[in-house]
């Protein structure tokens, strides 16, 4: 697999995801290292969608610790139930925040971030990490993002 992505820049967001998912699958297939795969997934999502911030927090010793990401520097540790990431981890569910100012306890790593989606990565019924994607635009994420970002996380789960 060549380490280059081929995406039609003029296509819709859903078409971009549809084209990206198999390319990510090819990119990470046969590579068992979770961190390496998270790093490439972060880079691919940043490259294709120019999201403000995209990256992973990993559950370590009962807190979330910053993992592979693309974008501005970010907070390193997040407690269970804190912020959008800690809530997604605690509830083991995806959270879409259309306006971060309306989310009680939102952790503002970057003041430019206006909306956010966080998805849990669940392996053997346990949240082992979360994928956090931030936008500098309000109301930037919807069920299309949830669907395809979940597909991408499933590639990680099935690659073990
Ligand atoms: N906003 C997140 C914190 C992580 S950063 O945005 C990269 C939260 O509230 O959990």
């Amino acid at each position: 697999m060549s380490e280059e992505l081929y995406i039609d820049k003029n296509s819709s967001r859903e078409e971009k995801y549809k084209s990206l998912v198999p390319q990510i699958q090819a990119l990470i297939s046969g590579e068992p290292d979770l961190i390496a795969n998270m790093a490439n997934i972060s880079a691919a999502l940043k490259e294709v969608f120019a999201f403000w911030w995209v990256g992973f927090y990993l559950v370590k010793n009962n807190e979330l610790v910053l993992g592979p990401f693309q974008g501005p520097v970010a907070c390193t540790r997040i407690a269970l139930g804190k912020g959008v990431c800690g809530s997604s981890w605690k509830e083991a569910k995806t959270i879409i925040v259309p306006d971060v100012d309306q989310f009680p306890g939102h952790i503002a790593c970057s003041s430019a971030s206006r909306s956010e989606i966080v998805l849990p990565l669940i392996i053997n019924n346990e949240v082992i990490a979360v994928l956090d994607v931030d936008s500098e635009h309000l109301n930037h994420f919807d069920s299309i993002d949830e669907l395809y970002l979940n597909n991408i996380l499933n590639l990680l789960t099935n690659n073990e």
Side-chain angles (χ1 to χ4, degrees):
M1 158 80 194
S2 91
E3 278 82 28
E4 228 175 308
L5 301 171
Y6 296 95
I7 307 284
D8 179 359
K9 286 193 171 54
N10 298 316
S11 58
S12 70
R13 191 186 302 190
E14 180 160 24
E15 285 166 341
K16 284 180 182 160
Y17 274 122
K18 278 188 179 159
S19 164
L20 181 61
V21 172
Q23 293 187 63
I24 288 182
Q25 181 166 30
L27 194 58
I28 72 175
S29 97
E31 174 50 68
D33 191 281
L34 190 63
I35 298 297
N37 291 334
M38 287 175 164
N40 260 339
I41 287 171
S42 303
L45 290 170
K46 177 80 172 162
E47 180 180 329
V48 172
F49 298 106
F51 292 131
W52 178 253
W53 195 94
V54 44
F56 291 86
Y57 282 88
L58 291 113
V59 176
K60 289 184 187 172
N61 297 326
N62 211 35
E63 61 184 342
L64 288 175
V65 182
L66 184 62
F69 73 97
Q70 295 271 317
V73 293
C75 19
T76 317
R77 290 172 189 270
I78 298 174
L80 182 68
K82 297 291 178 195
V84 189
C85 292
S87 301
S88 170
W89 171 28
K90 187 176 178 185
E91 293 162 30
K93 66 166 208 203
T94 295
I95 301 178
I96 295 176
V97 181
D99 178 355
V100 296
D101 289 338
Q102 305 302 320
F103 188 94
H106 168 257
I107 300 166
C109 288
S110 159
S111 58
S113 176
R114 310 290 302 281
S115 61
E116 174 163 2
I117 181 171
V118 181
L119 305 95
L121 173 60
I122 300 172
I123 294 183
N124 296 331
N125 290 322
E126 215 178 297
V127 178
I128 64 136
V130 297
L131 170 61
D132 179 13
V133 187
D134 291 12
S135 169
E136 70 275 41
H137 307 291
L138 281 174
N139 211 1
H140 199 66
F141 303 102
D142 59 22
S143 55
I144 297 286
D145 300 282
E146 180 174 1
L147 175 69
Y148 290 98
L149 292 174
N150 237 326
N151 287 348
I152 291 168
L153 288 182
N154 285 338
L155 296 175
L156 274 180
T157 329
N158 298 328
N159 207 41
E160 291 282 284

